Amino acid sequence: VNIPAYPRGHWMVPWISARAVGFPVNLGETSMEINHIVVATDLSEEAARPYPDVADIARARGSRVTILHVVEYVEALPHGAPLAPPLPSPDLERRLEEARQKLESQKVDFGDVPVKCDVIAGGNVAEAIAEYAERNHADMIAISTHGRSGFRHFVLGSVAEALLRHSTVPVLVFPLRRK
């Protein structure tokens, strides 16, 4: 599968579903440079599914990998003080540190590939991932889907779908494998 080169900031974001090319992922001969891959994770088992394939791509391309987790937070307005600044979640630092520890333990899944772990806080997970990738000059974002449908998808939404809408960086989506 050839992924075409694209000019940065172009309104059409190339993306490819891992289902379309089959497993394992083979990007084949392409002019697209892949020096930095951001792997977005919610720390679930499903989110770790792309790790072996991303490691293979990184190894073949000589890329570095960043595993990224976004800790979702909602700022609270102090009761009775509408003009006071919003207060961050009181357990935000604890949640950030727990996520860092989990990410560090997942680095071994990438073998000999250089991996950096990063945890950030954000209100909208998809937008935070897209902004992080842009700011850190990522060439590709990899993310797995959880396979939700129907009411669960309506209520919980899909970070992968929202990421496809917000990202200016190509997104490689790993769908849930059929049994």
Side-chain angles (χ1 to χ4, degrees), residues 55-83:
D56 289 344
I57 294 167
R59 203 172 289 108
R61 300 291 182 145
S63 308
R64 70 185 195 283
V65 173
T66 300
I67 311 172
L68 176 66
H69 177 68
V70 179
V71 173
E72 203 168 2
Y73 76 94
V74 178
E75 293 179 329
L77 294 174
H79 182 69
L83 299 178

Side-chain angles (χ1 to χ4, degrees), residues 38-44 47 51 66-72 95-104 106 116-122 125 128-129 132:
V38 172
V39 183
T41 179
D42 64 3
L43 304 174
S44 68
Y51 291 2
T66 300
I67 311 172
L68 176 66
H69 177 68
V70 179
V71 173
E72 203 168 2
R95 290 172 40 211
L96 289 168
E97 185 53 37
E98 286 175 359
R100 273 187 205 93
Q101 290 173 4
K102 287 180 183 176
L103 284 183
E104 286 295 328
Q106 293 180 353
K116 173 186 169 191
C117 297
D118 216 345
V119 178
I120 60 174
V125 175
I129 294 167
Y132 178 93

